[in-house]
Amino acid sequence: MPLPRPDVNAKRMFIVGLLGLPWLWTVNVLYHYKAVYGKGTTEDTTNEEDNDDDENEGILGGMMSSNDDENADEEVPKEIIQSELSKWVKISTMGSMISFVALISWIIAFQVNKENFGSNWFVMSPEEDILTGW
């Protein structure tokens, strides 16, 4: 079974992240990081365009030739694939950052205001502390 195109893969990972798995956005960014953010200066990109070896193409090198089942009949230009990949990975980057900031904010707010939340927020009430020895 051939791998899906990288843009289709990035889009699927973003959509699954919307279903309640925001850590998958971070995985999406880390997986496609070299293809989207790994470009150096303009001199580096011109040298990479001159060399058509798979080793210089990074993650996209092995997956560019495989087609998705939906698009098996048509060949999609690499520029369109790269722009779509970049779009979904950048959206995943923003979603990942927002969810990370929300998680850290919740942890800080809860730790600072523990006394104000009440015993229903805890797994174990303070009275059970003496019984368990923890």
Side-chain angles (χ1 to χ4, degrees), residues 1-20:
M1 185 169 140
L3 293 172
R5 287 192 340 238
D7 61 330
V8 174
N9 186 24
K11 182 178 179 180
R12 288 179 185 164
M13 289 174 86
F14 175 75
I15 291 172
V16 173
L18 284 174
L19 297 175

Side-chain angles (χ1 to χ4, degrees), residues 83-94:
S83 68
E84 285 293 309
L85 175 66
S86 179
K87 176 179 84 171
W88 289 111
V89 171
K90 288 179 181 178
I91 292 172
S92 292
T93 303
M94 292 305 297

Side-chain angles (χ1 to χ4, degrees), residues 42-82:
T42 55
E43 295 172 6
D44 292 340
T45 58
T46 56
N47 291 337
E48 285 182 14
E49 291 172 0
D50 293 340
N51 298 330
D52 288 334
D53 297 338
D54 286 341
E55 64 188 20
N56 288 335
E57 292 181 11
I59 294 173
L60 291 178
M63 295 197 293
M64 277 297 197
S65 60
S66 64
N67 288 329
D68 191 33
D69 293 337
E70 302 165 356
N71 299 327
D73 296 338
E74 61 188 57
E75 184 66 29
V76 180
K78 288 184 179 182
E79 294 81 22
I80 293 176
I81 292 174
Q82 182 64 31

